[in-house]
Amino acid sequence: MNLIEVKGLCKNFENFHLQNVDLSLEEGFIMGFIGRNGAGKTTTLKSMLNLMNTDGGSISLCGLSMPKDEVAIKNKVGYVFGGVDFYPESKIKKITDMTKIFYDNWDEKRYKSLCERFEIDQNKKFKQLSAGMKVKYSLAVAMSHNSSLLILDEPTSGLDPAARDDLVCLFQEFIEDGKHSILFSTHITSDLEKCADYITYIKQGKIISSNDKESFKSSYVMVNGKKEQLTPELEKKVIGLHKHQLGFEGLLPSDDKALADSCGLECSTPSLEDIMVHVERR
């Protein structure tokens, strides 16, 4: 079963257009959603959750239709967006007590376990939490009502490397029964290298690629060479060409690897960060 099925999603602003976005994600997988700031990631996620009106397309989450089944969907979906502030003067315990009444399947035992794991002090006021602890608290709430799907916008931002690694392990635990999935956008591609099964890349409001992570990475080849190896034909095909004092570097579609080999270039498999940097440079 697909926990996410988005077809032809459109949203128009004066200077930006989200154009015919298609997304699908089966049970038991993690999808990383990447692209530079302003590419349309947050607009896509908020549109999926009916937090902003759309101008076209259909959205199905957990087998239910948005917006017709919005209440039922939000009982099955946990979501966290950056920059969300609860009542700053209220204690964490009070905020949770007010929040959990909206969920039919709140799991108090799960919530307490997550708060212990994240070292969240229930007696602290929300404003006393660091940026990273606010993210952890939001995740604890999102994962404590038996949600089948997590939709997360920059869930690891503001966290130190050790805390991010703990969250990545938690995400992997969440999906290991094969019945849960996660869609999250992030700029920290090293986290996706560790846990993502699929990568969806959005640029200027359009999905330019959506594939399993290894196929996505292997669709490009990283090339390095000396100045004299950069032929006119090669220069036309290199994505995000960067010339420097010692030579040049860039990406080639893997279909053009034979051209790189014929020029005697050094080739390697790019990281997700390499792909982002060079595609956006283009």
Side-chain angles (χ1 to χ4, degrees):
M1 171 180 161
N2 282 350
L3 293 183
I4 296 177
E5 193 68 54
V6 176
K7 295 182 179 179
L9 179 62
C10 298
K11 176 66 181 177
N12 297 315
F13 298 98
E14 184 176 352
N15 297 312
F16 176 80
H17 304 285
L18 195 66
Q19 303 172 60
N20 295 312
V21 167
D22 292 342
L23 280 177
S24 63
L25 182 61
E26 296 178 78
E27 293 173 306
F29 295 99
I30 297 175
M31 177 180 282
F33 193 29
I34 63 175
R36 70 182 307 162
N37 288 336
K41 300 187 302 296
T42 298
T43 298
T44 299
L45 300 185
K46 287 188 174 181
S47 296
M48 288 169 58
L49 290 164
N50 202 35
L51 298 177
M52 59 172 58
N53 295 326
T54 63
D55 295 306
S58 62
I59 300 164
S60 174
L61 302 177
C62 302
L64 300 168
S65 179
M66 182 70 86
K68 180 171 71 74
D69 302 314
E70 181 172 1
V71 174
I73 285 173
K74 288 183 177 177
N75 268 288
K76 292 176 175 289
V77 177
Y79 52 95
V80 175
F81 288 92
V84 175
D85 280 328
F86 295 93
Y87 299 105
E89 295 294 337
S90 295
K91 290 185 177 180
I92 296 302
K93 184 181 185 304
K94 184 176 181 180
I95 294 172
T96 303
D97 288 342
M98 290 187 296
T99 301
K100 67 185 182 182
I101 63 175
F102 293 100
Y103 294 105
D104 296 337
N105 299 304
W106 181 262
D107 186 338
E108 187 68 17
K109 183 178 179 180
R110 170 74 162 159
Y111 171 73
K112 288 181 177 178
S113 173
L114 287 169
C115 286
E116 183 177 341
R117 180 169 181 167
F118 294 157
E119 300 180 333
I120 298 171
D121 185 346
Q122 297 292 300
N123 292 310
K124 275 192 173 183
K125 292 182 178 181
F126 188 77
K127 71 177 184 180
Q128 294 176 304
L129 300 183
S130 67
M133 291 302 290
K134 287 177 180 178
V135 171
K136 288 182 177 181
Y137 173 65
S138 297
L139 279 167
V141 172
M143 299 179 75
S144 295
H145 57 90
N146 289 311
S147 49
S148 300
L149 173 67
L150 295 180
I151 295 179
L152 312 172
D153 195 8
E154 299 291 343
T156 56
S157 63
L159 300 179
D160 61 66
R164 293 205 329 267
D165 187 68
D166 188 32
L167 281 192
V168 166
C169 291
L170 182 63
F171 293 160
Q172 291 171 321
E173 292 168 17
F174 181 75
I175 66 154
E176 66 184 1
D177 65 356
K179 297 180 180 179
H180 299 77
S181 294
I182 301 174
L183 170 65
F184 72 92
S185 72
T186 183
H187 291 107
I188 306 174
T189 53
S190 59
D191 292 341
L192 298 181
E193 297 277 9
K194 295 177 183 177
C195 70
D197 301 292
Y198 294 95
I199 299 293
T200 295
Y201 198 123
I202 188 168
K203 183 175 182 179
Q204 296 176 344
K206 292 182 180 180
I207 302 294
I208 63 171
S209 181
S210 189
N211 211 335
D212 68 88
K213 181 176 65 183
E214 295 311 314
S215 294
F216 175 78
K217 291 170 65 175
S218 64
S219 65
Y220 297 98
V221 60
M222 190 80 177
V223 295
N224 290 273
K226 299 177 181 178
K227 292 179 181 179
E228 57 269 23
Q229 293 174 297
L230 185 60
T231 65
E233 181 185 7
L234 189 60
E235 186 164 4
K236 289 178 182 178
K237 293 195 173 185
V238 173
I239 300 168
L241 177 65
H242 173 55
K243 298 178 182 178
H244 50 80
Q245 189 174 2
L246 299 177
F248 70 94
E249 65 175 24
L251 284 181
L252 272 178
S254 56
D255 291 344
D256 292 321
K257 186 177 184 299
L259 175 61
D261 291 338
S262 70
C263 295
L265 303 183
E266 179 184 337
C267 299
S268 60
T269 300
S271 66
L272 294 175
E273 183 171 339
D274 289 332
I275 294 172
M276 278 195 67
V277 166
H278 287 86
V279 168
E280 296 301 335
R281 180 181 288 143
R282 186 182 191 184

